Amino acid sequence: MIVVIAGGHGQIALHLERFLADAGHEPVGLVRNPDHLADLAKQGARGEVVDLEKATVDQLAAAVAGADAVVFAAGAGPGSGADRKETVDRAAAALLADAAEQAGVTRYLMVSAMGTERADPDSDDVFQVYLRAKGAADDDLRARTALEWTVVRPGRLTDDEPTGRVALGEGLDRGSVTRRDVAAVLAELLVTGAGRGRTVDLVSGKVPVEQAVAALGS
């Protein structure tokens, strides 16, 4: 498979690129900063410089053309303000969906976040703005009948050692999960095709990643 990952230099994306490359697939990471291309190459990924906040749908469609799947793993980052939550976490996710549709790429994995449904609609707090932006991006994706989407909503992300065991499903209690385990779940979803049309929470648990993904069905 050829898998194009928006936000290709993020920590989850770098782990995902390594998983895919090691399994014989071709990961392509979209990055804003050309200095990051070397880091992608170390993970076995090919990089393309695309600024998701400035690219047109035609430019992004050209970048994803020929791919078997796209993954939205981009984010404005914890130090960014409310404006960039809107331009990256919501608008860029929708732009990737537009581009995928235009290029004929049907599989779309969204890395979202737990708790979007509890966002305060009136708060100016940056984290609440972030949750609203992620929720709006998820809603936009779920409305697109031309895409075979899966929305993965991890809990609190950590850099702890991965366990390879997770809880994956709807309505889970909040918890934490390692970034590498998130990437392992994404890779398994891509390889197996499981989870189409599903929105699932993801936290550390007791079930091996392969079994947890398989339980979602195709």
Side-chain angles (χ1 to χ4, degrees):
M1 291 188 303
I2 300 173
V3 179
V4 177
I5 305 164
H9 193 257
Q11 295 180 65
I12 290 173
L14 291 170
H15 289 308
L16 176 58
E17 289 154 7
R18 174 49 62 194
F19 277 124
L20 292 172
D22 286 349
H25 302 291
E26 183 180 348
V28 180
L30 304 183
V31 298
R32 183 175 58 175
N33 185 346
D35 292 341
H36 292 160
L37 294 174
D39 292 334
L40 270 64
K42 292 176 183 177
Q43 300 303 314
R46 174 166 57 88
E48 291 194 23
V49 179
V50 178
D51 189 333
L52 296 173
E53 293 177 276
K54 296 179 180 177
T56 67
V57 65
D58 289 342
Q59 290 170 332
L60 192 51
V64 305
D68 298 287
V70 297
V71 179
F72 188 80
S80 60
D83 289 347
R84 295 202 66 227
K85 307 304 183 188
E86 174 67 17
T87 58
V88 178
D89 293 291
R90 187 201 63 78
L95 182 68
L96 181 63
D98 290 340
E101 289 180 340
Q102 182 169 312
V105 181
T106 57
R107 189 76 168 111
Y108 188 124
L109 265 60
M110 173 77 82
V111 182
S112 184
M114 291 181 73
T116 56
E117 72 283 2
R118 296 190 295 273
D120 185 338
D122 302 314
S123 175
D124 293 329
D125 176 77
V126 172
F127 183 67
Q128 296 302 314
V129 174
Y130 163 77
L131 289 177
R132 292 200 300 267
K134 295 299 287 184
D138 296 347
D139 289 343
D140 173 82
L141 182 60
R142 286 189 286 253
R144 294 176 185 259
T145 57
L147 297 178
E148 298 176 351
W149 52 264
T150 304
V151 176
V152 179
R153 307 193 331 159
R156 183 177 61 84
L157 298 170
T158 77
D159 292 318
D160 296 339
E161 286 297 313
T163 67
R165 294 177 178 270
V166 298
L168 184 65
E170 298 171 1
L172 300 184
D173 292 334
R174 287 194 61 82
S176 63
V177 62
T178 75
R179 288 179 171 84
R180 187 173 173 86
D181 282 333
V182 174
V185 168
L186 296 174
E188 191 70 12
L189 288 167
L190 288 165
V191 171
T192 64
R196 290 182 175 91
R198 297 286 301 275
T199 298
V200 292
D201 297 335
L202 171 59
V203 294
S204 293
K206 298 180 179 180
V207 181
V209 166
E210 295 82 358
Q211 293 181 23
V213 170
L216 296 178
S218 58

